[in-house]
Each structure stands twice: as structure tokens, then as C-alpha cells.
Amino acid sequence: MKFSVIIPVYNRPEELRELVLSLTEQTFADFEVIVIEDGSTQDSKNVVNDFDVKLCIHYLSQSNTGQGFARNNGMKIASGDFFVILDSDVILPSDYLEKLSNAIQDRGLDAFGGPDAAKDDFSELQKAMDFAMTSIWTTGGIRGKIKDPSKYQARGFNMGVSRRVFETIGGFLDPNRGEDIEWSIRIKKAGFRLELIQEAYVYHKRKNTLLSFVRQAFSFGRNRVNVSRFQPGAIAIVHWLPTAFLLFSLSIPLLYLVYKPLFHLNLYMFLIWSVGVILSSTFHNRSVKVGLLSYVTSILQLWSYGLGLPYELLNKSVKG
């Protein structure tokens, strides 16, 4: 089996360099790399040229269309049997492709999604954001830790499909608004086997500030509504949990004024959750500072997503 690794990039040449460097260290050798420059003003041509001796790497430059359509263009020129789609801000463990190949063949998969993790040398804020996006203490914990791997909805930072899947159902329908989730649903509806490969994780080196992290989480909530345009029923009860958490949090000071017994109960529940987040992250990351930062990022992730979903539903309703 030959892999085609598809990487869209927009104004992140040095970030791309780290990812491509990790591809040179893979224990699995049969793959090509396709970099799609999506209308960048800071192009990555020199990065690609620096690795053209060590890798079978191709460079495609296009006007800006969004990451979903850039991936489609990459898959159209790919020569592999299986397409691996990565975001430019990830780094791969050296055995990533080897584990991927083994799992795909052993389990007879047509498509896959993989989880993300934080590398030891990531910044404290990056580790805190990773915790908020992957912990069981937030709804992010659903991603990558689901018990039934066949129920996983793959994400574009780490996913892939066979050539047959792409040729049968096509690629992404939207440039950058939950297009990966919609594709996952469509792949399964077409009868293809898509599962989580837990061991095929990537190190997700998010470059967010706290403000951009809030904006991203808010957009994730909005994106879920956009997915429902293509896939009715895409919004499930679990996607409302961040909104419930937001309302629960905001109700605490109000309850102090109107009904103190319930105020005390909700406050204790909130404190238990808070302590759980801080301790869990502190022990996992071996850092009290990361634990405290994780408390902040976890609240921001839940509140922002929780606001984004009803906001977009209301926005959609107003627009008719």
C-alpha cells in the first residue's frame, strides 16, 4: 500500500517545515507528499525544495479556496492507494505511517481518523489547549477516546481515505466549516468502513493565543450547524453539552439571589469539576502551571463552543 500525504498550507512555511521533517523520519517508506499552497502570501516553495532529495514531495500552488477544496485538489493529483490528510500544524511520531498501514490492513478500513496529543517540548499554553481539546473533563474528550471506533467522526488534522472512497463519493463539500465532519458522515452513509485508529496519533502544535483559541472554539460550535445543512441530524444531544455548561455556569450567581440551596449545590458541583480539571491536567502534564492554564482553556473551550452553536442556529433562522 502506498500513501499520499496531503497537506494544505496557508502562510505557515516554518510550521510546514517541522511536519515535513517528521515525515523524513518515518519507519514506513512507501509514500509521497503533496503540499498545496492555498493562496499564501508567505509561500512554502523553499521548504518543499529543501526536502526534494529526501522525500518524494510535490508542490501545488493555487489561489485561496479554503483547506477543504485545497485537499480535494491534492487528492486529484495523488498517485497513492490511500490518502492521508494532515493539517500543517501537526508533527508525526516516527512510526505514525507504519502503525497506520498495519491498522488499515488488519482491520480492513476504507477510511480512518486519528487523535492528537501534546509533545513534551510544547509550550505550557499549547499543552493547556491540548488538554481542553482532548480531556474527558470537557466535551473534547469525546474526540479520540470513543469506546466504539466505528462511531468516530474524523477530523481534518489527522484523517484519511482510500482512493476508492474519494473516487466514489468525492471530496469535501465546504472549504472550512466542519467539512471534515460532514465528509465522515457521508463516508459512513455510503457504506465504507471508517474507524478511529487510536495509536495513529499526531502531535498537534497549535499556535493559538487565548483569544484565537476562543474564536476557534466559537467557530467549531458554528460549524456544527453548518454540517447540518448537508447532513440533517448532525446536531446530537452531546453537542449541546457545552451550551448546558455555559448556562449552568451563568446561573450560579443568579441562584445566589433567588434560591440559595440550589446555589450551594451548583457551586459545589462547579468546584468539583474545577478541581478535577486542575488536578487531572497537573498530574498528566507534571506541572501545576499547566494545570491552572488548563482550567482557563477548558472553561473558554466549553463557553465558546457552547455560545457558537445556538448563535449560528439563531443566525440561520434569522436569514431564513
Side-chain angles (χ1 to χ4, degrees):
M1 178 171 57
K2 177 182 178 180
F3 287 124
S4 292
V5 181
I6 314 293
I7 310 169
V9 62
Y10 180 74
N11 287 338
R12 294 185 173 187
E14 292 311 309
E15 185 175 89
L16 176 68
R17 184 181 296 277
E18 290 185 89
L19 169 54
V20 177
L21 179 61
S22 70
L23 281 163
T24 66
E25 299 167 349
Q26 292 299 300
T27 55
F28 183 93
D30 194 8
F31 67 95
E32 66 175 352
V33 182
I34 300 174
V35 174
I36 308 96
E37 192 81 69
D38 188 31
S40 301
T41 55
Q42 304 172 43
D43 71 63
S44 304
K45 181 64 174 175
N46 289 337
V47 175
V48 173
N49 290 340
D50 288 345
F51 290 95
D52 63 2
V53 174
K54 294 183 178 180
L55 293 171
C56 176
I57 188 167
H58 312 285
Y59 179 78
L60 172 65
S61 182
Q62 62 176 44
S63 58
N64 182 255
T65 63
Q67 60 189 10
F69 296 157
R71 294 171 186 140
N72 288 347
N73 289 334
M75 288 185 282
K76 288 176 183 176
I77 66 171
S79 63
D81 311 300
F82 208 101
F83 307 151
V84 179
I85 295 167
L86 302 171
D87 279 354
S88 61
D89 62 350
V90 305
I91 301 171
L92 306 181
S94 60
D95 57 355
Y96 170 82
L97 289 178
E98 183 177 355
K99 287 181 176 178
L100 204 55
S101 176
N102 292 338
I104 290 169
Q105 294 182 82
D106 291 347
R107 292 157 62 177
L109 301 183
D110 302 298
F112 82 93
D116 53 349
K119 211 163 181 274
D120 287 341
D121 61 357
F122 282 10
S123 72
E124 291 165 332
L125 181 57
Q126 286 171 330
K127 291 178 180 178
M129 289 187 292
D130 175 80
F131 180 88
M133 295 301 295
T134 61
S135 170
I136 60 171
W137 291 95
T138 70
T139 54
I142 298 169
R143 183 176 80 179
K145 296 180 177 66
I146 195 165
K147 290 183 178 180
D148 182 353
S150 67
K151 293 183 178 179
Y152 186 66
Q153 292 180 349
R155 306 306 200 272
F157 65 85
N158 180 16
M159 71 180 299
V161 302
S162 67
R163 173 179 292 279
R164 188 165 70 95
V165 169
F166 178 67
E167 291 176 347
T168 302
I169 69 167
F172 297 94
L173 297 181
D174 196 278
N176 56 11
R177 295 178 299 171
E179 74 288 348
D180 44 5
I181 296 172
E182 188 283 326
W183 205 32
S184 293
I185 297 172
R186 186 158 31 104
I187 289 167
K188 293 178 181 180
K189 283 186 175 180
F192 291 107
R193 188 172 182 180
L194 185 158
E195 292 185 1
L196 169 69
I197 301 179
Q198 182 70 55
E199 62 271 25
Y201 63 88
V202 298
Y203 297 117
H204 206 163
K205 195 172 187 179
R206 298 176 178 87
K207 295 296 180 64
N208 303 68
T209 62
L210 279 178
L211 179 59
S212 66
F213 181 72
V214 166
R215 289 172 176 166
Q216 185 183 55
F218 181 72
S219 71
F220 287 164
R222 297 185 66 186
N223 290 348
R224 177 57 65 168
V225 179
N226 186 60
V227 172
S228 68
R229 289 174 51 222
F230 304 100
Q231 301 291 345
I235 303 175
I237 292 176
V238 68
H239 303 118
W240 283 104
L241 292 180
T243 304
F245 180 86
L246 171 64
L247 295 175
F248 166 76
S249 305
L250 295 177
S251 72
I252 294 175
L254 179 62
L255 286 171
Y256 178 78
L257 299 175
V258 298
Y259 191 59
K260 284 189 172 58
L262 190 55
F263 159 77
H264 288 116
L265 175 63
N266 284 11
L267 180 61
Y268 292 149
M269 291 172 62
F270 187 81
L271 289 175
I272 290 171
W273 176 85
S274 301
V275 171
V277 167
I278 294 170
L279 291 180
S280 178
S281 179
T282 296
F283 284 115
H284 177 73
N285 292 289
R286 301 183 298 279
S287 168
V288 174
K289 185 176 181 180
V290 175
L292 294 172
L293 278 172
S294 296
Y295 177 61
V296 174
T297 56
S298 295
I299 288 179
L300 292 176
Q301 188 260 342
L302 289 167
W303 282 2
S304 301
Y305 188 107
L307 182 61
L309 194 151
Y311 171 87
E312 189 61 22
L313 280 173
L314 179 61
N315 187 46
K316 181 181 176 183
S317 176
V318 169
K319 289 182 177 179

